[in-house]
Structure formats: C-alpha cells, structure tokens
C-alpha cells in the first residue's frame, strides 16, 4: 500500500539521494509554463536512452532478419519503452515538474523591489553525516511572484535541485518559488510554517532569521545566481 506523503516529508529518490523535505505534490503544468523563469535544459540521460533505443532497434531488426524471432519479439517492447523514455527526458518540463515535487524545500526573502530581488538559503551538505554546517546563499532577480504581496522582507518558500557534491558539499542550487509551480495559495503559508518549525539540532536559529542577517552582505554581491558560502557563525568562506 502506497503511503501518502505530506508537505515536508522526504521526497522521492533522485540521482541516488532524496530531499529531506519536499512538497510531494504534483505541480500545475500551466503554472510552471506561465511563471517558471529557468531556461529549459535537456536532460543528459536523454542521450543515454537515445543510444540504447537505437541499439535495441538495430538488434531487433537484425534478429528478425536472421530468423531469431523470439529475440526480435523480446526486444520490440524494450525498444518502445526506451523510445518513450528518450522523448520524455527530452522535454525540459519533466525536470521542472520533478523540481517542484521532489526538490528540497528552502527559504527565500525579498530584499529589493522594482525589479524584485530575492535571496535564497540552502544547507549545502550533501549528507546529514557532514557535521560542519555550510550555508549557501544566492541572490537573483525575478519577474513574477504570483500569490505574494511583494513586500521587502516577505518570506518566499522555494524548492531547489542541486548540483553535484564535492567533498561532501554541494556547490550550486536553483531556487524556484513554489508559487511558480502551484496555483493553490495555501501551499505558501503551509510551507512557510513548515520551514519555521523544521530546525535541525545543529541550527541555533531559524533559517528565516539567518536570511535576515545576511541581507546586507548579499545586497553587496554583484554576481547574481552565484552561490556565496557562509559557515555556521555566518562568516563568509570559500569552499
């Protein structure tokens, strides 16, 4: 029996890891299409699936040609499956849907208006076994924030996928306001409340408070969408 997951429960496994807290709700494709501002990127797994598709198709044709009908028939459904997989992975919208449903829930706040600028915070540890906390903070300009008041200091719950980890710490993340992926306004308040209460034993302050303390530092950062790293005492560091 499948267990129904709630907002904040662990997400599904992606690339051999799972977000410790995720939305676990299928996003609205129309909302994503209208508001998500990230460029569509092809999934590199598409090319692996495409190569396998061509390989299976060639083997299937060769099997029928040489009279090996059993092998040929066996390879037909595999070829069809791989072909469908190649097609789905080629659609950038698949990655976006995965990000909203299974990406890590992280906080962000508005620091400037006209245009809207937010800063987002993420724990950059790739595993809870890493005792040393390193925060990643990122500033970005966005065009739209549906279902938000658009005020300085307003809390913006986001989800994020991450880049590969090096020596136990991730170097890149992509904040996406959940309002880009969900029409339901109640999800915003629920996720804000969840972040507020979800404090790890190693964290002495809420993530919202940490973000507020980093506003002045992050306002001076010129490069947007580049991660700035901080230690547990919020001193800027290089990793």
């Amino acid at each position: 029996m499948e267990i129904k997951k709630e907002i904040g429960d662990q997400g599904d496994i992606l690339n051999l890891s799972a977000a410790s807290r995720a939305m676990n709700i299928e996003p609205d494709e129309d909302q994503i299409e209208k508001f998500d501002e990230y460029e569509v990127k092809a999934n590199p797994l598409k090319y692996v699936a495409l190569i396998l598709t061509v390989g299976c198709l060639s083997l299937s044709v060769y099997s029928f040609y040489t009279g090996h009908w059993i092998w040929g028939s066996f390879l037909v459904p595999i070829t069809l499956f791989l072909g469908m997989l190649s097609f789905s992975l080629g659609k950038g919208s698949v990655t976006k849907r995965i990000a909203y449903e299974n990406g890590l829930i992280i906080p962000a706040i508005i620091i400037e208006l006209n245009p809207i600028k937010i800063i987002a915070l993420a724990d950059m540890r790739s595993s809870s076994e890493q005792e040393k906390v390193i925060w990643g903070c990122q500033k970005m300009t966005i065009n739209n924030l549906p279902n938000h008041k658009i005020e300085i200091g307003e809390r913006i719950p986001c989800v994020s996928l991450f880049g590969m980890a090096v020596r136990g710490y991730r170097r890149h993340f992509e904040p996406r306001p959940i309002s880009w992926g969900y029409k339901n306004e109640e999800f915003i308040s629920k996720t804000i409340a969840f972040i507020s209460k979800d404090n790890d034993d190693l964290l002495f302050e809420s993530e919202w408070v940490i973000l507020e303390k980093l506003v002045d530092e992050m306002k001076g950062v010129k490069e947007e969408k580049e991660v700035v790293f901080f230690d547990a005492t919020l001193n800027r560091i290089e990793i």
Side-chain angles (χ1 to χ4, degrees):
M1 178 175 152
E2 186 177 353
I3 299 175
K4 180 177 176 57
K5 294 184 178 182
E6 304 290 340
I7 293 176
D9 289 344
Q10 181 175 295
D12 292 339
I13 295 176
L14 299 173
N15 298 326
L16 303 180
S17 65
S20 58
R21 57 190 193 191
M23 292 299 292
N24 297 305
I25 300 170
E26 186 175 346
D28 301 299
E29 290 195 32
D30 291 342
Q31 191 81 346
I32 294 174
E33 181 71 23
K34 186 175 181 179
F35 294 109
D36 189 293
E37 298 176 17
Y38 282 95
E39 291 182 11
V40 174
K41 298 178 182 178
N43 191 323
L45 291 177
K46 165 194 172 181
Y47 303 104
V48 176
L50 190 59
I51 291 170
L52 291 174
T53 301
V54 173
C56 282
L57 178 61
S58 300
L59 284 173
S60 178
V61 171
Y62 179 76
S63 296
F64 284 123
Y65 180 76
T66 57
H68 295 85
W69 295 92
I70 295 177
W71 276 107
S73 300
F74 175 74
L75 288 168
V76 167
I78 297 177
T79 302
L80 291 173
F81 170 77
L82 289 170
M84 293 174 63
L85 182 62
S86 300
F87 176 76
S88 64
L89 290 174
K91 298 173 65 177
S93 59
V94 173
T95 300
K96 291 186 177 185
R97 290 202 306 272
I98 290 172
Y100 289 104
E101 187 169 358
N102 291 299
L104 181 69
I105 292 174
I106 63 171
I109 59 174
I110 296 177
I111 62 169
E112 293 182 29
L113 305 175
N114 302 317
I116 303 168
K117 293 183 185 289
I118 65 172
I119 56 172
L121 183 76
D123 183 346
M124 303 307 285
R125 293 176 294 176
S126 61
S127 168
S128 58
E129 295 177 1
Q130 297 290 126
E131 294 185 2
K132 180 181 177 182
V133 175
I134 294 181
W135 294 110
C137 196
Q138 184 178 156
K139 180 170 71 172
M140 58 188 292
T141 299
I142 56 179
N143 298 316
N144 294 288
L145 268 178
N147 298 328
H148 281 280
K149 296 178 181 178
I150 319 297
E151 300 174 340
I152 296 292
E154 183 177 1
R155 295 176 173 181
I156 313 297
C158 298
V159 291
S160 181
L161 296 180
F162 289 79
M164 291 183 63
V166 179
R167 296 191 297 276
Y169 294 92
R170 296 168 291 203
R171 301 309 203 259
H172 178 71
F173 67 102
E174 293 185 339
R176 284 179 160 89
I178 65 169
S179 62
W180 284 359
Y182 299 96
K183 297 177 182 177
N184 192 329
E185 295 182 37
E186 293 183 3
F187 292 167
I188 295 174
S189 57
K190 286 182 178 179
T191 310
I192 288 174
F194 176 81
I195 295 173
S196 299
K197 71 177 183 180
D198 185 40
N199 288 319
D200 189 276
D201 291 339
L202 293 175
L203 310 181
F204 299 101
E205 296 177 305
S206 79
E207 292 162 87
W208 297 117
V209 172
I210 291 172
L211 264 178
E212 289 164 0
K213 288 186 173 183
L214 292 176
V215 169
D216 290 339
E217 177 82 21
M218 292 302 297
K219 276 187 175 181
V221 174
K222 294 181 179 179
E223 296 296 328
E224 296 196 2
K225 294 187 178 180
E226 285 199 8
V227 181
V228 181
F229 300 98
F230 298 89
D231 62 18
T233 57
L234 302 187
N235 292 309
R236 191 165 173 173
I237 59 173
E238 298 291 335
I239 64 171

